[in-house]
Amino acid sequence: MRSVFKWTLALGLFISATSAVGAPRLAQLPNEAREVEGQTNLYLYRRGQDWKRLVKWVYRNYGKQSRIDPVSFAGGIPLLTVESKNPKFKWTHVHFFKVRNKIFISVVPKEPKDS
């Protein structure tokens, strides 16, 4: 009976994790990023205290196909901005910012082209 419970619990966790990750994203984001409920293109980085790790990830994954502005402080809030140089990307900018102990990621989509 206990093993059945363990398998059911594991299957439930797996299904909930895949459904959260399965949502289409405009930009490549870290695995720890989860969409904020009720918001479009706004994500919460689950490793809230680990700003340095996120900055390293950004340089490693966006460095060649994007322009990365150095970390600036807007009103005491650290802000890292990535600007797309690749025309195939569906976004123009990605902003990473830290408010208190939480890190948020905001993706700015490209404007649709008029035919």
Side-chain angles (χ1 to χ4, degrees), residues 35-92:
E35 193 168 16
V36 175
E37 289 185 37
Q39 302 293 323
T40 56
N41 300 326
L42 182 66
Y43 300 88
L44 177 66
Y45 185 65
R46 294 181 60 161
R47 291 179 170 259
Q49 299 287 342
D50 214 349
W51 177 257
K52 289 182 182 179
R53 177 183 170 146
L54 179 63
V55 171
K56 287 179 186 177
W57 185 91
V58 168
Y59 278 94
R60 185 173 56 245
N61 288 285
Y62 290 125
K64 294 180 181 175
Q65 299 180 353
S66 305
R67 186 176 64 92
I68 302 171
D69 294 338
V71 176
S72 62
F73 289 87
I77 297 173
L79 173 67
L80 179 66
T81 301
V82 178
E83 183 180 348
S84 170
K85 291 192 303 184
N86 189 337
K88 294 181 181 179
F89 288 162
K90 298 178 182 177
W91 52 272
T92 59

Side-chain angles (χ1 to χ4, degrees), residues 15-35:
I15 289 172
S16 66
T18 56
S19 64
V21 174
R25 294 180 176 174
L26 291 175
Q28 177 187 4
L29 298 175
N31 293 333
E32 295 88 2
R34 298 291 179 249
E35 193 168 16

Side-chain angles (χ1 to χ4, degrees), residues 1-15:
M1 182 68 178
R2 211 173 229 191
S3 63
V4 172
F5 176 72
K6 286 181 183 178
W7 278 104
T8 305
L9 181 63
L11 182 62
L13 290 173
F14 176 75
I15 289 172

